Amino acid sequence: MAKVLNRPEIADTLALRRRGLTLTLLTLTYFFSFMDRQILAILLEPIKRDLVLTDTQLGLLSGLVFALFYATLGVPIARLADRTNRRNIIAASLAIWSAMTAMCGVAQNFTQLLLFRIGVGVGEAGSGPPSQSIIADLYPPEKRASAMAIYSLGVLLGGGLGIMIGGNVAHAYGWRAAMMVVGIPGVVLALIVRFVMVEPRRGLSDVARVAEETDEPLPGMWHGFLQMLHNGAAVYLVCGIMLTSLVGYALTGWGPSYMQRSLGMSMLDVANYIALPAALTSAVSALVGGAIADRMAKRHGLHTQPWVIAVMKTIAFPFAVGFYFIDNVPLALTSYFVASLFAGAYIGPTYALIQHLAPLRLRAMWAALALLFTNLVGLGLGPLAVGRISDMLAPTYGTESLRYAMFAVALLTPVPIFCYWRAGVLMRRHR
């Protein structure tokens, strides 16, 4: 009998003892997620030539089609994650999207490639919300932004290394081989996640809130959405990250093509000399941004974290815009790297704050709702908008049409800056 009573304590101790390992595995999973998602960026030009596609079709493959399934399926899967074992959902999802990425390498036309990209989106829908929910259970509020910042390294390093690996493999063996090389290892990682990661108890790091909320029935999906809608700070945070992602996905998705078309760089140059340094710069931005956000929260309250993001984005904005109007390659790339140094600071604090504002038993669902809007608008419309605008401007500007299309999207940045500022104001009023 004593052994039975002690089992929850033993499980909690094991979960906390392994939380560093769990965070590492979740970060690696996110790494593979973004690598498989973003590898298309460096492969757009050879795919365009091989399959004879337009920029609009490439924008669909990069954004909208993937995002529709990735974002919409995220909500019901998150609902499942709030009820069942999150680790198993993450492992199964990782196996699915990795296999679909590898299958992209055998596509013979636009339709086949489109279907395999849908498969990638379906798989990736089950990763983010349960991962964020697990991290929130393992780390208390005063450490959560830093933990989420570490988790966000999967985005920043995954995108950069995906471009580097994809570019080099594509240069040597073609774009189809590149898809297979980045897809297959994810299946192995899925097995490691399934048999090594420990599923933590919900609310493990929020003892006081557990006492208040665990006796309440699990709210319905619609009620959960209404709860988020009536939380003004959460709404502004979601709007902030949604519009930031629209600009970010648009510019990172087309960045390698822009460097090749307008700056005269080769695919191999972008892969070897831009991708990894940009990823590392953004990683530093995320880690430092998360640490600053946690320090500011400890000293002045959590409401200061959105303001940290707003300040970082304001500093990055002129350098991001300047990148599209500097023809000197070294100066243009310097502007690009300076922007990257500040632009990645938003990810960790934003998702940490959403998890803090969410009811304990709706953490995965709130994460999924945030990802729903972020990816439908950001990932779905960002790359597509750039591709469509580029096609429209091509008769006038030729190969330079992409430059002006990306500049037009970058000009949206002040809107999310305002959203983050406003979120901080609302959080200060209700603390």
Side-chain angles (χ1 to χ4, degrees):
M1 183 68 174
K3 289 183 178 180
V4 174
L5 292 175
N6 286 332
R7 280 178 184 171
E9 294 182 7
I10 294 172
D12 288 351
T13 301
L14 181 60
L16 290 175
R17 186 183 301 160
R18 288 193 182 179
R19 72 178 182 180
L21 175 61
T22 297
L23 181 58
T24 299
L25 289 174
L26 291 175
T27 303
L28 283 172
T29 300
Y30 207 13
F31 172 90
F32 274 91
S33 167
F34 220 76
M35 182 169 65
D36 291 3
R37 187 185 316 175
Q38 290 298 103
I39 187 176
L40 207 63
I42 193 65
L43 304 179
L44 288 180
E45 297 303 303
I47 289 175
K48 180 177 183 176
R49 290 192 297 268
D50 188 19
L51 300 183
V52 193
L53 306 180
T54 66
D55 281 351
T56 300
Q57 288 176 309
L58 293 177
L60 283 169
L61 290 172
S62 302
L64 185 60
V65 170
F66 174 91
L68 280 174
F69 289 86
Y70 173 61
T72 55
L73 288 176
V75 175
I77 293 176
R79 182 68 171 173
L80 182 64
D82 279 327
R83 295 174 180 270
T84 60
N85 189 292
R86 294 165 290 184
R87 176 203 61 198
N88 294 347
I89 292 174
I90 294 167
S93 299
L94 173 57
I96 291 170
W97 88 62
S98 298
M100 288 296 101
T101 299
M103 290 297 292
C104 286
V106 302
Q108 299 299 312
N109 52 53
F110 174 74
T111 301
Q112 291 178 8
L113 188 56
L114 186 74
L115 292 174
F116 291 135
R117 286 291 289 175
I118 289 173
V120 176
V122 169
E124 292 195 16
S127 173
S131 295
Q132 292 180 37
S133 176
I134 287 175
I135 293 170
D137 284 340
L138 291 174
Y139 291 87
E142 64 272 13
K143 296 182 179 180
R144 201 167 286 153
S146 293
M148 288 290 187
I150 293 172
Y151 173 67
S152 73
L153 294 181
V155 171
L156 304 169
L157 296 178
L161 287 177
I163 290 174
M164 184 182 74
I165 295 170
N168 278 276
V169 174
H171 177 77
Y173 303 105
W175 67 269
R176 299 178 186 280
M179 288 288 194
M180 296 180 186
V181 165
V182 301
I184 294 173
V187 179
V188 178
L189 179 61
L191 295 173
I192 297 174
V193 168
R194 171 60 183 83
F195 294 107
V196 175
M197 185 185 296
V198 176
E199 169 82 0
R201 177 170 56 84
R202 299 177 197 277
L204 179 59
S205 295
D206 293 275
V207 178
R209 290 181 64 183
V210 168
E212 296 175 3
E213 298 183 25
T214 49
D215 291 336
E216 300 176 2
L218 183 65
M221 187 180 300
W222 178 247
H223 183 66
F225 170 72
L226 290 179
Q227 282 186 287
M228 173 180 273
L229 194 63
H230 285 94
N231 188 309
V235 170
Y236 275 104
L237 285 171
V238 171
C239 288
I241 196 170
M242 176 179 71
L243 295 172
T244 295
S245 297
L246 187 149
V247 175
Y249 279 121
L251 304 188
T252 57
W254 286 99
S257 288
Y258 169 73
M259 294 177 191
Q260 293 173 69
R261 295 186 195 181
S262 296
L263 298 183
M265 301 179 68
S266 68
M267 180 177 67
L268 205 57
D269 287 339
V270 176
N272 288 334
Y273 304 121
I274 305 300
L276 185 58
L280 293 176
T281 302
S282 297
V284 170
S285 175
L287 292 175
V288 173
I292 293 174
D294 274 339
R295 179 170 296 184
M296 291 294 291
K298 187 176 181 180
R299 291 184 178 181
H300 306 289
L302 282 172
H303 70 278
T304 59
Q305 291 191 342
W307 293 345
V308 170
I309 300 170
V311 170
M312 294 288 193
K313 290 181 66 63
T314 300
I315 296 172
F317 178 54
F319 293 97
V321 170
F323 174 56
Y324 301 107
F325 286 94
I326 301 174
D327 290 324
N328 181 278
V329 175
L331 288 178
L333 294 179
T334 299
S335 185
Y336 173 78
F337 284 120
V338 172
S340 298
L341 187 60
F342 294 94
Y346 75 97
I347 306 175
T350 302
Y351 284 119
L353 287 168
I354 291 172
Q355 290 295 295
H356 173 76
L357 294 172
L360 288 181
R361 302 182 71 192
L362 288 176
R363 277 179 163 167
M365 184 178 174
W366 274 40
L369 288 171
L371 289 170
L372 171 67
F373 297 112
T374 295
N375 289 293
L376 278 181
V377 176
L379 179 57
L381 299 182
L384 178 60
V386 170
R388 184 58 182 158
I389 294 170
S390 177
D391 281 339
M392 291 172 63
L393 296 178
T396 303
Y397 295 101
T399 57
E400 290 299 300
S401 64
L402 186 58
R403 179 197 299 267
Y404 295 102
M406 297 178 76
F407 169 70
V409 173
L411 287 179
L412 294 173
T413 301
V415 182
I417 291 175
F418 167 80
C419 290
Y420 279 112
W421 170 80
R422 184 62 181 167
V425 171
L426 293 175
M427 289 183 67
R428 182 176 62 175
R429 289 178 183 174
H430 296 94
R431 59 177 175 170

